[in-house]
């Protein structure tokens, strides 16, 4: 889709130049290199807990220390979500979603936070927790790069109560790196992102996983007012002629061999 848009824009500019060769107006044309430069990086941090005290400690840390501190570092939007436990996964988790302008910003964040006196003071209970009373069981970290067709994270347009909202985080694993790149292409050039937009899935991000436990894989997050609207949206997606045409293409066969789905809801202090 991006290539087609760029091609049409280039043709339009060329025709305009032919019709008015004396024009001195210089149009700025978005190039593939420009798109590459503006793509964000993301980190998903997943805290796992075994006690309510741990959950309270991490919530206080994130709300009162971490989020104010990272915003001082130029990270505007921070998502904090709770996992909706189920019969097969009863472990309570908190998901933190961070956007970065560059890998350098990601690499230096922890060091800069520890140089911030307000942060270390407000987050003291978490930062200085004793070895035999940690504020979490473990942290999982996943680093991603935004897709070309959605280079910047978006805040969803939702109207329902926060506790009812569905933030659906998905991971699609591929059998090999080649099949993985094919699935990413299916989202971008194939039009999968465009279809999600048309059906009002309110996507927050689409990302190529650069480092994580289930590679090669991609991850993305869509949002819905509640579970009923989520079911309605996915039914419309599966039944759409665009999707049926897309999955029937031989070039996109067998590019996903495992999918994980996590249902989340935003905390009251989350920016999303």
């Amino acid at each position: 889709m991006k290539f087609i848009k760029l091609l049409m824009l280039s043709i339009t500019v060329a025709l305009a130049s032919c019709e008015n060769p004396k024009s001195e107006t210089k149009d700025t044309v978005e190039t593939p290199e420009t798109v590459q430069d503006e793509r964000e990086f993301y980190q998903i941090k997943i805290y796992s807990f075994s006690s309510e005290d741990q959950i309270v400690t991490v919530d206080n840390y994130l709300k009162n220390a971490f989020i104010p501190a990272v915003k001082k570092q130029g990270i505007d939007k921070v998502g904090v979500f709770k996992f909706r436990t189920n019969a097969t996964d009863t472990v309570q988790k908190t998901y933190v979603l961070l956007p970065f302008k560059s890998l350098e910003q990601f690499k230096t964040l922890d060091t800069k936070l520890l140089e911030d006196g307000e942060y270390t003071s407000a987050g003291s209970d978490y930062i200085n927790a004793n070895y035999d009373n940690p504020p979490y069981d473990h942290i999982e970290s996943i680093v991603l790069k935004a897709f070309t067709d959605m280079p910047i994270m978006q805040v969803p347009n939702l109207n329902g109560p926060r506790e009812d909202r569905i933030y659906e985080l998905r991971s699609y694993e591929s059998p090999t790196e080649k099949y993985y790149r094919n699935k990413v292409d299916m989202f971008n050039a194939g039009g999968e992102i465009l279809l999600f937009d048309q059906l009002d899935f309110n996507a927050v991000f689409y990302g190529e996983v650069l480092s994580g436990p289930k590679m090669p894989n991609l991850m993305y997050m869509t949002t819905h007012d509640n579970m009923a609207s989520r079911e309605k949206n996915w039914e419309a997606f599966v039944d759409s002629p665009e999707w049926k045409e897309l999955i029937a293409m031989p070039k996109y066969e067998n590019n996903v061999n495992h999918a994980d789905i996590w249902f989340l809801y935003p905390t009251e202090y989350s920016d999303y």
Side-chain angles (χ1 to χ4, degrees), residues 81 97 150 152-160 165-169 192-206 220-226 229-230 233-234 237 272:
F81 312 95
L97 176 60
M150 187 172 169
I152 305 296
M153 192 178 291
Q154 300 294 323
V155 177
N157 180 25
L158 300 177
N159 299 311
R165 295 177 187 175
I166 301 296
Y167 281 62
E168 184 169 353
L169 180 63
E192 201 165 343
I193 289 178
L194 180 61
L195 180 56
F196 277 123
D197 287 346
Q198 291 173 346
L199 297 176
D200 296 326
F201 269 69
N202 285 303
V204 175
F205 76 89
Y206 301 90
Y220 68 101
M221 178 183 282
T222 60
T223 64
H224 318 270
D225 280 328
N226 49 52
S229 65
R230 182 262 177 194
N233 288 343
W234 274 108
F237 181 90
Y272 294 93

Side-chain angles (χ1 to χ4, degrees), residues 73-272:
Q73 299 299 324
I75 300 173
D76 275 341
K77 300 297 182 180
V78 181
V80 183
F81 312 95
K82 300 294 185 178
F83 174 59
R84 295 184 183 275
T85 57
N86 54 67
T88 58
D89 192 348
T90 60
V91 177
Q92 297 191 70
K93 303 182 187 76
T94 294
Y95 288 67
V96 180
L97 176 60
L98 295 165
F100 295 93
K101 297 180 179 68
S102 66
L103 283 177
E104 180 66 21
Q105 187 183 36
F106 162 74
K107 185 178 69 173
T108 60
L109 178 62
D110 287 346
T111 300
K112 290 182 177 180
L113 290 182
L114 291 175
E115 294 170 350
D116 183 340
E118 292 181 355
Y119 163 78
T120 55
S121 176
S124 178
D125 289 346
Y126 173 95
I127 297 168
N128 300 315
N130 205 26
Y131 77 93
D132 59 356
N133 187 29
Y136 49 81
D137 289 349
H138 61 262
I139 301 174
E140 178 182 333
S141 177
I142 303 167
V143 180
L144 311 94
K145 186 174 184 178
F147 280 12
T148 56
D149 273 29
M150 187 172 169
I152 305 296
M153 192 178 291
Q154 300 294 323
V155 177
N157 180 25
L158 300 177
N159 299 311
R162 281 184 173 244
E163 63 269 19
D164 294 337
R165 295 177 187 175
I166 301 296
Y167 281 62
E168 184 169 353
L169 180 63
R170 290 191 170 214
S171 168
Y172 290 165
E173 296 175 53
S174 300
T176 70
E177 290 94 330
K178 182 177 180 179
Y179 281 104
Y180 157 74
R181 289 190 293 269
N182 178 266
K183 182 57 181 174
V184 172
D185 181 76
M186 189 175 178
F187 270 88
N188 291 312
E192 201 165 343
I193 289 178
L194 180 61
L195 180 56
F196 277 123
D197 287 346
Q198 291 173 346
L199 297 176
D200 296 326
F201 269 69
N202 285 303
V204 175
F205 76 89
Y206 301 90
E208 304 172 16
V209 175
L210 304 181
S211 179
K214 297 184 176 182
M215 300 177 69
N217 72 311
L218 62 86
M219 298 180 75
Y220 68 101
M221 178 183 282
T222 60
T223 64
H224 318 270
D225 280 328
N226 49 52
M227 186 59 76
S229 65
R230 182 262 177 194
E231 299 294 334
K232 182 179 179 181
N233 288 343
W234 274 108
E235 182 179 354
F237 181 90
V238 172
D239 291 341
S240 67
E242 294 90 345
W243 176 243
K244 291 179 179 178
E245 180 181 353
L246 192 58
I247 60 172
M249 294 182 180
K251 69 176 181 177
Y252 290 133
E253 289 180 347
N254 304 312
N255 57 14
V256 174
N257 63 341
H258 181 78
D260 286 303
I261 302 172
W262 300 278
F263 294 133
L264 316 174
Y265 65 93
T267 63
E268 52 87 15
Y269 58 89
S270 174
D271 288 328
Y272 294 93

